[in-house]
Amino acid sequence: MVIEPKKRNIAYRCPECGSAVIGLVGKFALAANLLRLKCTCGEGAPLDIKMESDGKIRLSVPCVFCKQNHSYTVSEAVFFDRELFLLNCPYAGMDIAFIGEESDIDEQLQRTENEIRQLMSALEAEELSDIQPAEMNEDEILPDPAVYDTLRFLVRDLEESGKLSCPCGEGEYDLRFCDGGVQVYCERCGATHTFYATTPTMAEEYLETEEIKLK
Ligand SMILES: [Zn+2]
Ligand SMILES: [Zn+2]
Ligand SMILES: [Zn+2]
């Protein structure tokens, strides 16, 4: 029996020209190198993927809505074994990158293309740049979206494995920035749980969390 080395498709949309960029990530290649995906237009920022020594996979993903990269940290299992994993922009609330099988990714690209069209027509925008922010410098972007991204990953992961609960028992969970960090809250009963993290490193410490009960 031959064991196929694990491979994964990843896709994002170029923030400059709006084209979908799709790449194939091999586990062995990733263990050895930083992988970089770039749009053929040559203008947009690249997507970087790197495996850390702790086995976690770090992604820097260009956001078509914010025109800056967002950082995400996912476990190897999520990256290579999850059927479909979506990376979401914390500002626009839109999915900006997809990890999974080719057919699922194509479907997501189609869905998000429609979302972008709808957004553009709602804003009476003619070009992609009309819905993007003007150039801004890093200091203006507060709080750090990487903190939100990391905690969002944790919450979705716990939610999917049934390790996130709240008093009403049928919570629909979402996240928001709050004083001192990020809060996960139940949209039905209003219960919350706060992560006190203002830097990516502080947020990553929460990744060890095994269960959360909202109060
Ligand atoms: Zn491009
Ligand atoms: Zn964004
Ligand atoms: Zn609830």
Side-chain angles (χ1 to χ4, degrees):
M1 182 176 126
V2 180
I3 299 173
E4 285 278 312
K6 282 190 179 170
K7 288 199 168 143
R8 214 66 176 133
N9 293 95
I10 181 162
Y12 73 100
R13 211 171 276 285
C14 172
E16 288 298 328
C17 69
S19 307
V21 183
I22 306 176
L24 193 61
V25 179
K27 197 166 176 174
F28 294 143
L30 186 59
N33 293 300
L34 169 103
L35 298 183
R36 172 163 284 185
L37 277 181
K38 222 172 165 355
C39 178
T40 48
C41 78
E43 299 291 322
L47 177 149
D48 287 336
I49 311 171
K50 187 170 186 278
M51 190 180 276
E52 299 291 336
S53 50
D54 60 4
K56 293 212 169 70
I57 294 172
R58 245 166 255 269
L59 300 113
S60 175
V61 182
C63 177
V64 71
F65 302 103
C66 305
K67 261 195 137 177
Q68 56 152 338
N69 281 42
H70 298 319
S71 306
Y72 303 89
T73 305
V74 303
S75 68
E76 199 183 307
V78 163
F79 193 89
F80 285 103
D81 301 328
R82 187 74 62 92
E83 244 170 64
L84 177 70
F85 195 72
L86 309 177
L87 300 175
N88 187 274
C89 164
Y91 298 116
M94 305 273 232
D95 297 316
I96 58 165
F98 317 97
I99 302 164
E101 298 301 322
E102 217 172 338
S103 57
D104 292 328
I105 285 183
D106 286 346
E107 211 171 281
Q108 294 298 324
L109 285 169
Q110 192 57 53
R111 173 179 69 83
T112 48
E113 182 160 343
N114 293 338
E115 280 180 1
I116 292 172
R117 280 228 186 87
Q118 281 168 11
L119 183 68
M120 286 176 68
S121 79
L123 297 172
E124 295 178 4
E126 282 171 13
E127 289 176 33
L128 195 53
S129 58
D130 294 339
I131 62 166
Q132 293 171 330
E135 294 297 322
M136 44 183 173
N137 70 52
E138 295 272 309
D139 312 340
E140 289 175 65
I141 309 165
L142 281 171
D144 191 334
V147 172
Y148 184 99
D149 296 339
T150 301
L151 294 167
R152 181 178 186 279
F153 157 73
L154 169 72
V155 165
R156 293 293 174 243
D157 202 41
L158 290 172
E159 193 176 354
E160 280 184 32
S161 49
K163 297 284 172 59
L164 188 66
S165 58
C166 75
C168 77
E170 46 186 331
E172 298 214 359
Y173 307 108
D174 210 346
L175 286 88
R176 63 189 168 211
F177 285 112
C178 66
D179 205 17
V182 172
Q183 207 167 49
V184 50
Y185 64 99
C186 170
E187 289 180 347
R188 287 175 191 251
C189 68
T192 62
H193 178 86
T194 303
F195 303 101
Y196 293 98
T198 48
T199 66
T201 314
M202 288 165 82
E204 277 162 28
E205 281 172 16
Y206 282 105
L207 289 175
E208 305 297 319
T209 308
E210 285 176 3
E211 186 168 8
I212 294 174
K213 290 190 167 91
L214 272 60
K215 280 180 201 150

